[in-house]
Amino acid sequence: MARPSPGDARMSSTVHPVLAYGRRLPNPWDIAALLAVFAVITGIVHVTPETFRPLDAPGALSVSLDPWRLPDYALRTTLRMFAALAASLLFTFTYAPLAAKSRRAGLVMIPLLDVLQSVPILGFLSFTTVFFMGLFPGRVAGLELAAIFAIFTSQAWNMAFSLYQALTTVPRDLEEASRSFRLTGWQRFWRLDVPFAVPGLVWNTMLSMSGGWFFVVASEAITLGDKTWQLPGIGSYVAEALDKRDLAAVGWAILAMLVVIVLYDQLLFRPLVAWSARFRFEVIAGAVAEDPWVLKLLRRTAWLRQGAAALGDAFGTITRLPIRWPLRPPTAARGAPTRGGDAVFLAIVAAVTLAAAWRVIGYVVASHIGWADLGQAVALGFATLARVVVLIALASLIWVPAGVWIGLRPAWARRIQVVAQFLAAFPANLLFPIFVVAIVRWRLNPDIWLTPLMILGTQWYILFNVVAGASAFPGDLQDVARNFRVRGWLWWRRVILPGIFPYFVTGAITASGGSWNAAIVSEVATWGDDKLSAHGLGAYIAHATDAGDFPRIVLGVAVMSVFVLTFNRALWRPLYAYATRRLTLD
């Protein structure tokens, strides 16, 4: 081949800037992507003025059952949920690493997380509405912040548990590699811990988004004393439709939810799942599915790819900074505890907790309620506990095999993803008409037939976590099992169940806490003038909230927190410690 002459080199140098300038021009794919971004910005700008209107302004808090208002309501609800999701991610990336990398902090923070996930959403609204409304007196923004915080409480705990589980089960050979490369704590977190946690965290983020839909009806209807406000949104639309027995409006709300879920699944979560596959511990042969259309579109853009590359370079520079922190890695957390220091530390924490509890009981509860009320709340707590145990067992029997099958087949996982998201997001309130009419017509027992409503939004924690665990299961272990012809129950007992067990325990913990939370919505069903109530702690808190009985709200939330914390300490935490100690891949 002839070598280029100097003249050819000069010609190419004069043409190259023109070609480079042509490449800097936006292509049609850039224009399409920019239009989509512009549409999102327009929606945010459209909603923002409504947020700062006075509470008594005409139409500020009115909800109409006109279907043509649903696009606006869907936009406002979706923006609340994504604002809560952003806050949940911030909470997750600060709370979970501290709990995982500092053993003594974890001794307090993980039980506290158990308590927080057990506090019902109505309990958070009862305690925080005054604070947020005080930030913006007389403005809708205070109610908006209260609703966003309530949705945050239905999303954050699951995501924090997912990241904590990943940080405490990093394979030891990867930890040794990070020490060999002399990575600092900051570098190890972004180069090892976060990439290892990404696949499971993405699935749990999807589930948290769906969990927000499950509680959106309660979060958009805010009660303070004898005053109730309904923020315009799909949740308030559903509540109004149920109150007026408008089945057509319920159908329109379901359709609007489905459209919104499909849109953000296609535009956000499906590309995230495909992107997260690159962080799998091992890639299984033939498991790589075709990229979704959004990723293909982004790869065809010019401006967006250049912008993303610049952001990636900036992020890479930040993650390579040699920042050192005093927190110990999870490997150190697995070591032998210092019993004397832990005993002193826990004694101080217990003393502070008991002092705070004593002040609450003395000044809030004891002056208004007696031992009979406490006994009633505890008895109702055992009734709800029985429902939770039975439902978690049934959900595990159904969704663990299904999750393993889906997780080992990424192509099927993408097909089922949007269906699972919609089912997880489906509010139990929308099934109240069917259950109430059936129970009244056939004179069924509400204590039994309202129970299935509790598991509708929480069973998916088990499914999504098992799918994440099966997706991250190493391919070489599957190959070994096939070579040795390990099949049937032996394969389940010796191969896949140990591999997904940490993920299952994480899903079971969050499903258990979510079931307690769902009891507030599920143990009381309303359809127009027909109201049914099951015997349980959820119904106790719901009735106290409706009556504005603050002492009994505090009592119900406290009893529920004790039940959840005790159940987790007695069952799930020992199982989680076993999974971390014995089943982590070495």
Side-chain angles (χ1 to χ4, degrees):
M1 180 181 295
R3 299 179 60 183
S5 65
D8 295 334
R10 286 193 299 270
M11 181 178 297
S12 62
S13 64
T14 57
V15 175
H16 180 70
V18 177
L19 294 177
Y21 178 77
R23 293 192 187 98
R24 289 198 295 268
L25 293 176
N27 59 33
W29 307 106
D30 277 308
I31 296 174
L34 291 174
L35 287 176
V37 173
F38 180 75
V40 173
I41 295 175
T42 302
I44 296 174
V45 172
H46 169 72
V47 169
T48 301
E50 301 291 329
T51 302
F52 295 96
R53 295 181 66 186
L55 290 173
D56 55 357
L61 298 176
S62 62
V63 178
S64 170
L65 293 183
D66 183 3
W68 293 106
R69 299 297 305 275
L70 272 174
D72 180 63
Y73 293 162
L75 174 63
R76 299 185 67 168
T77 296
T78 304
L79 290 178
R80 290 183 193 116
M81 296 181 66
F82 274 103
L85 192 65
S88 299
L89 285 170
L90 179 62
F91 172 84
T92 297
F93 277 93
T94 53
Y95 195 96
L98 182 59
K101 295 177 179 294
S102 176
R103 182 169 53 81
R104 287 183 180 169
L107 292 176
V108 177
M109 296 176 71
I110 296 305
L112 179 60
L113 201 60
D114 289 334
V115 173
L116 289 174
Q117 74 159 340
S118 69
V119 175
I121 190 172
L122 294 180
F124 282 112
L125 282 173
S126 302
F127 301 144
T128 59
T129 300
V130 175
F131 169 75
F132 286 113
M133 293 190 70
L135 296 179
F136 297 92
R139 299 286 175 178
V140 178
L143 294 177
E144 291 281 0
L145 288 177
I148 291 172
F149 182 78
I151 298 172
F152 162 85
T153 62
S154 68
Q155 296 176 341
W157 324 134
N158 171 56
M159 296 166 62
F161 271 126
S162 173
L163 183 58
Y164 173 80
Q165 176 263 324
L167 295 180
T168 54
T169 56
V170 176
R172 296 187 189 276
D173 53 352
L174 295 184
E175 294 176 350
E176 293 172 358
S178 69
R179 287 193 294 270
S180 299
F181 285 109
R182 297 183 180 180
L183 299 182
T184 65
W186 176 261
Q187 293 169 335
R188 172 203 159 95
F189 179 70
W190 291 109
R191 296 291 178 175
L192 172 61
D193 295 337
V194 172
F196 181 77
V198 160
L201 186 59
V202 168
W203 278 96
N204 278 279
T205 301
M206 289 192 298
L207 182 56
S208 293
M209 191 69 174
S210 299
W213 281 104
F214 188 80
F215 291 104
V216 74
V217 176
S219 64
E220 291 182 351
I222 300 174
T223 300
L224 186 61
D226 58 351
K227 185 71 173 178
T228 300
W229 297 277
Q230 282 191 329
L231 289 169
I234 291 184
S236 297
Y237 186 93
V238 169
E240 189 73 12
L242 293 175
D243 185 60
K244 294 184 177 179
R245 294 194 175 199
D246 193 334
L247 286 176
V250 172
W252 284 114
I254 294 174
L255 178 61
M257 282 181 53
L258 177 61
V259 170
V260 171
I261 291 171
V262 169
L263 282 176
Y264 69 63
D265 172 76
Q266 292 290 323
L267 298 177
L268 179 62
F269 286 122
R270 194 170 291 266
L272 279 177
V273 170
W275 170 78
S276 68
R278 64 187 295 185
F279 299 108
R280 288 185 51 154
F281 181 52
E282 290 187 9
V283 179
I284 304 173
V288 179
E290 185 181 0
D291 286 337
W293 65 271
V294 172
L295 277 183
K296 294 179 179 178
L297 183 149
L298 293 177
R299 290 194 180 103
R300 294 175 181 175
T301 62
W303 282 12
L304 287 184
R305 282 195 297 114
Q306 293 174 8
L311 291 176
D313 292 340
F315 182 75
T317 301
I318 294 173
T319 58
R320 284 192 295 268
L321 293 176
I323 300 175
R324 298 185 181 275
W325 49 29
L327 299 180
R328 290 178 292 179
T331 305
R334 297 172 189 160
T338 57
R339 297 183 181 277
D342 288 350
V344 174
F345 177 74
L346 291 176
I348 295 173
V349 173
V352 174
T353 304
L354 289 175
W358 180 260
R359 292 182 65 87
V360 171
I361 293 173
Y363 290 99
V364 180
V365 178
S367 59
H368 295 83
I369 62 176
W371 290 105
D373 296 293
L374 177 60
Q376 179 189 12
V378 172
L380 294 174
F382 277 107
T384 301
L385 174 63
R387 294 190 180 97
V388 171
V389 171
V390 172
L391 291 174
I392 294 299
L394 291 175
S396 300
L397 290 174
I398 296 172
W399 295 118
V400 168
V404 169
W405 190 89
I406 295 170
L408 296 179
R409 296 163 177 81
W412 275 99
R414 294 191 183 187
R415 297 172 189 171
I416 297 174
Q417 177 179 319
V418 66
V419 178
Q421 283 189 73
F422 178 72
L423 293 176
F426 197 86
N429 312 64
L430 297 181
L431 293 178
F432 283 178
I434 300 173
F435 277 79
V436 172
V437 171
I439 291 173
V440 171
R441 180 173 181 180
W442 287 294
R443 299 180 181 179
L444 303 175
N445 187 348
D447 289 329
I448 297 176
W449 294 101
L450 287 180
T451 300
L453 296 174
M454 289 176 58
I455 201 66
L456 285 180
T458 58
Q459 59 185 333
W460 310 108
Y461 291 106
I462 296 174
L463 173 64
F464 276 52
N465 277 278
V466 171
V467 168
S471 299
F473 192 77
D476 55 356
L477 294 184
Q478 295 188 55
D479 294 336
V480 169
R482 280 193 294 267
N483 291 336
F484 284 97
R485 298 181 180 180
V486 179
R487 300 186 181 92
W489 173 240
L490 182 63
W491 180 80
W492 283 94
R493 187 164 55 92
R494 294 294 188 182
V495 179
I496 195 65
L497 287 181
I500 66 168
F501 194 70
Y503 294 87
F504 165 73
V505 174
T506 300
I509 291 173
T510 50
S512 176
S515 296
W516 283 95
N517 223 321
I520 310 298
V521 179
S522 306
E523 290 183 348
V524 178
T526 302
W527 175 238
D529 296 329
D530 293 328
K531 296 183 179 180
L532 299 175
S533 179
H535 292 88
L537 194 55
Y540 180 88
I541 298 174
H543 291 319
T545 303
D546 291 338
D549 192 342
F550 185 74
R552 285 176 174 77
I553 295 174
V554 174
L555 176 63
V557 170
V559 171
M560 183 174 287
S561 299
V562 170
F563 265 97
V564 174
L565 186 60
T566 303
F567 189 63
N568 286 353
R569 292 291 104 185
L571 177 63
W572 296 122
R573 288 304 163 190
L575 288 177
Y576 187 85
Y578 172 79
T580 303
R581 184 176 64 252
R582 297 290 301 275
L583 303 177
T584 301
L585 295 174
D586 294 333

